[in-house]
């Protein structure tokens, strides 16, 4: 019998316009215009593909943040960006194997439009598309979509579950062999292999079918990011890749185990889900060099920006009225990013941080795992999480672009490959094949009839 292939990590490259760090654009080597210059985005995507990443994961928000003083807003380097489907469709034309996941909110979109956009991305890329299902945590998005107030946390998740059901139903609108395209007979498709959804629910009424053919990988990969109890349940119910923020191994292991334990409720198995915590690595040839890189970026944070970004991250305004060298104030649950708020406040209490120390902690990782060190030290942490029930891989968050991504690809990837933890070549052409996820059957597929011996 052939030897079973060892389990290997999956890696995403989580990309903000100029990098994950709030002051990334101020680094002398940064792509400071990467929210507006396509060539810079192409370079980042090709670097991720050179590193054999599974996917490029595009962060997005459909609004400029309302948090912060006018001074802070004028210092923010993540203000403008490309619309994600447009950008990723273009990037798919200049890459071959890299997957593309776009963040697109269920709160202020319509399922038919979104299903059509992602089905098109998947066709254009040859089956390398994925949708990161989120509920909007930027309250400013409400003001751009005909509302004066943000939808409540519970209502956002209730809508999201139905939204995703509709999208997945629309992605099953056509059988793989529906299109005959017989020029001689004049038959273009088989109407029996077209399926009308006719969804009528609490939030949506959608007839269908989708006017985009079935995906080369069955359907785009569904990614979900959310750590609250409702978020975990939605992940277990629908997600194929779960993106999560965890600061300690113990937190990550608890989250991983909890999500996996919920899968049987929805008739799902562990083989259908990959859990990828966020990883913020700062890599140096020596530990001292890595620390110097980290400290340099931290030194570029203006106080007004540090406060503003913390306000945005935890959904709580007016933190500037508190002394920066004082304790983190007590605060109630936000209607914005609830799980991230709780995660950061727990870290502040655990480590007895001042408000400014919490701002500094948030400026780069934003509640994700921070690792500073040599390639071997960073690989040690990744290996520990991977082999001990805390992760199936990581969503790597480069501090600034292109430098931090280059550091990871040139130094950490070879170390992971040397340990047999990461691929040296892509396994397949589609995102599902490279992630090791099964190709989903259409809900309309007829079950195979077992042969009976005569």
């Amino acid at each position: 019998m052939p030897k079973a292939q060892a389990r290997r990590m999956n890696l995403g490259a989580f990309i903000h316009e100029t990098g994950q760090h709030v002051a990334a654009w101020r680094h002398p080597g940064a792509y400071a215009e990467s929210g507006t210059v396509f060539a810079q985005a192409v370079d980042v995507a090709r670097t991720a593909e050179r590193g054999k990443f599974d996917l490029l994961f595009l962060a997005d928000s459909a609004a400029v943040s309302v948090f912060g003083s006018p001074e802070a807003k004028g210092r923010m380097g993540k203000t403008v960006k490309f619309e994600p489907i447009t950008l990723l469709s273009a990037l798919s034309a200049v890459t071959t194997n890299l997957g593309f996941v776009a963040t697109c909110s269920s709160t202020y979109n319509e399922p038919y439009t979104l299903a059509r956009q992602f089905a098109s991305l998947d066709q254009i890329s040859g089956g390398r598309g994925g949708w990161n299902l989120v509920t909007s945590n930027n309250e400013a998005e409400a003001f751009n979509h005909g509302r004066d107030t943000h939808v409540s946390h519970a209502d956002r998740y209730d809508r999201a579950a139905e939204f995703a059901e509709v999208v997945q139903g629309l992605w099953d609108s056509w059988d793989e062999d529906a299109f005959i395209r017989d020029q001689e007979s004049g038959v273009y498709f088989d109407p029996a292999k077209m399926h009308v959804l006719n969804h009528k629910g609490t939030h949506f009424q959608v007839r269908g079918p989708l006017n985009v053919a079935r995906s080369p990988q069955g359907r785009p990969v569904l990614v979900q990011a959310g750590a609250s109890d409702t978020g975990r349940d939605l992940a277990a119910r629908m997600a194929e890749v779960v993106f999560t923020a965890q600061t300690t191994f113990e937190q990550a292991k608890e989250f991983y185990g909890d999500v996996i334990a919920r899968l049987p409720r929805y008739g799902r198995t562990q083989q259908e889900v990959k859990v990828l915590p966020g990883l913020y690595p700062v890599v140096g040839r020596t530990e001292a060099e890595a620390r110097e890189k980290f400290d340099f970026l931290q030194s570029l944070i203006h106080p007004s920006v540090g406060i503003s970004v913390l306000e945005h991250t935890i959904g709580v305004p007016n933190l500037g009225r508190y002394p920066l060298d004082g304790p983190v104030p007590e605060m109630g649950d936000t209607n914005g990013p609830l799980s991230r708020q709780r995660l950061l406040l727990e870290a502040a209490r655990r480590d007895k941080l001042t408000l400014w120390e919490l701002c500094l902690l948030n400026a780069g990782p934003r509640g994700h795992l921070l690792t500073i060190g040599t390639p071997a030290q960073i690989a040690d942490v990744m290996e520990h999480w991977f082999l001990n029930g805390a992760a199936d891989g990581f969503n790597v968050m480069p501090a600034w672009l292109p430098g931090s991504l280059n550091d990871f690809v040139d130094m950490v990837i070879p170390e992971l490959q040397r340990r047999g933890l990461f691929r040296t070549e892509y396994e397949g052409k589609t995102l599902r094949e490279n992630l090791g996820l099964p190709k989903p059957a259409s809900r309309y597929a007829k079950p195979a009839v077992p042969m009976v011996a005569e």
Side-chain angles (χ1 to χ4, degrees):
M1 291 180 65
K3 186 179 179 181
Q5 180 176 307
R7 176 172 170 258
R8 288 179 178 159
M9 290 182 188
N10 297 113
L11 294 179
F14 183 87
I15 301 301
H16 276 278
E17 300 71 56
T18 56
Q20 175 71 9
H21 195 276
V22 300
W25 72 275
R26 298 187 64 192
H27 192 286
Y31 281 164
E33 314 85 12
S34 65
T36 56
V37 178
F38 178 62
Q40 295 177 355
V42 170
D43 181 63
V44 168
R46 286 176 170 166
T47 299
E49 188 163 70
R50 177 168 63 84
K52 312 299 181 186
F53 276 76
D54 291 86
L55 55 94
L56 186 148
F57 192 115
L58 201 65
D60 188 55
S61 177
V64 174
S65 176
V66 296
F67 289 101
S69 64
E71 180 189 27
K73 290 175 182 176
R75 294 176 178 273
M76 293 298 295
K78 305 178 192 297
T79 305
V80 293
K81 62 192 77 183
F82 292 116
E83 188 281 318
I85 298 296
T86 307
L87 176 60
L88 295 187
S89 295
L91 291 176
S92 73
V94 296
T95 53
T96 305
N97 296 97
L98 184 66
F100 293 102
V101 173
T103 298
C104 206
S105 173
S106 63
T107 309
Y108 301 114
N109 279 296
E110 288 295 323
Y112 189 92
T113 302
L114 186 143
R116 190 174 184 229
Q117 289 172 322
F118 279 90
S120 297
L121 169 63
D122 219 36
Q123 289 285 352
I124 291 167
S125 65
R128 293 185 283 141
W131 168 38
N132 178 34
L133 163 62
V134 299
T135 67
S136 294
N137 63 22
N138 182 355
E139 298 190 44
E141 290 188 25
F143 310 143
N144 295 336
H145 294 86
R147 296 181 62 94
D148 295 325
T149 57
H150 194 30
V151 180
S152 73
H153 186 272
D155 288 343
R156 294 201 304 271
Y157 272 95
D158 186 56
R159 176 187 167 96
E162 186 180 341
F163 191 109
E165 287 177 358
V166 174
V167 168
Q168 289 184 319
L170 290 169
W171 284 338
D172 284 343
S173 291
W174 301 93
D175 292 349
E176 285 189 18
D177 58 350
F179 293 95
I180 300 162
R181 300 185 178 94
D182 187 328
Q183 291 176 314
E184 186 175 340
S185 69
V187 177
Y188 192 76
F189 75 91
D190 182 350
K193 296 181 179 182
M194 178 189 79
H195 307 285
V196 179
L197 185 62
N198 276 327
H199 174 88
K200 294 182 180 179
T202 303
H203 300 277
F204 304 105
Q205 182 171 318
V206 181
R207 179 183 180 276
L210 195 65
N211 61 347
V212 182
R214 186 166 183 81
S215 162
Q217 57 176 340
R219 62 173 180 249
V221 173
L222 182 59
V223 184
Q224 195 269 338
S228 65
D229 189 67
T230 47
R232 294 179 185 209
D233 221 43
L234 185 62
R237 178 177 170 184
M238 294 184 163
E240 296 167 292
V241 174
V242 182
F243 175 35
T244 177
Q246 309 294 337
T247 57
T248 68
F249 170 78
E250 291 74 23
Q251 289 173 341
K253 186 169 184 177
E254 184 279 326
F255 177 88
Y256 187 101
D258 185 46
V259 169
I260 297 304
R262 296 179 192 226
L263 294 174
R265 302 181 198 172
Y266 303 103
R268 305 182 70 204
T269 67
Q270 188 169 351
Q271 287 67 44
E272 298 172 69
V273 179
K274 302 286 184 177
V275 179
L276 306 184
L279 172 71
Y280 180 88
V282 184
V283 193
R285 287 164 295 184
T286 65
E287 190 173 351
E289 181 185 81
R291 175 59 62 177
E292 185 179 350
K293 289 181 178 182
F294 177 80
D295 290 343
F296 176 69
L297 268 181
Q298 293 293 85
S299 74
L300 299 178
I301 305 166
H302 190 275
S304 66
V305 172
I307 285 288
S308 175
V309 172
L310 181 62
E311 290 175 345
H312 177 80
T313 303
I314 66 175
V316 177
N318 303 318
L319 292 178
R321 68 183 188 271
Y322 298 103
L324 291 179
D325 58 356
V328 176
E330 294 294 324
M331 56 190 79
D333 286 348
T334 177
N335 188 33
L338 181 58
S339 60
R340 193 63 52 84
Q341 180 201 31
R342 290 174 174 172
L343 187 76
L344 284 167
L345 293 182
E346 179 184 333
R349 286 191 292 269
R350 180 185 68 233
D351 300 330
K352 298 181 173 57
L353 302 178
T354 66
L355 181 57
W356 182 239
E357 287 171 336
L358 184 60
C359 290
L360 291 175
L361 176 66
N362 181 59
R366 304 243 241 300
H368 294 276
L369 173 63
L370 168 65
T371 54
I372 305 171
T374 65
Q377 288 172 323
I378 289 172
D380 285 344
V381 174
M382 297 174 72
E383 183 172 19
H384 177 62
W385 283 42
F386 177 67
L387 295 180
N388 293 284
D392 294 308
F394 298 88
N395 219 0
V396 179
M397 315 173 93
W400 66 276
L401 296 171
S404 297
L405 182 60
N406 284 326
D407 284 348
F408 192 88
V409 167
D410 294 337
M411 292 192 278
V412 180
I413 291 290
E415 178 65 22
L416 295 174
Q417 291 170 332
R418 186 186 67 77
R419 300 182 188 198
L421 294 170
F422 190 62
R423 68 168 64 88
T424 55
E425 294 296 337
Y426 285 103
E427 296 83 4
K429 288 292 186 183
T430 71
L431 178 54
R432 284 184 183 281
E433 288 170 339
N434 289 323
L435 286 169
L437 291 170
K439 184 176 181 179
S442 169
R443 66 190 61 202
Y444 303 106
K446 294 181 175 62
V449 178
M451 296 184 65
V452 179
E454 294 183 2

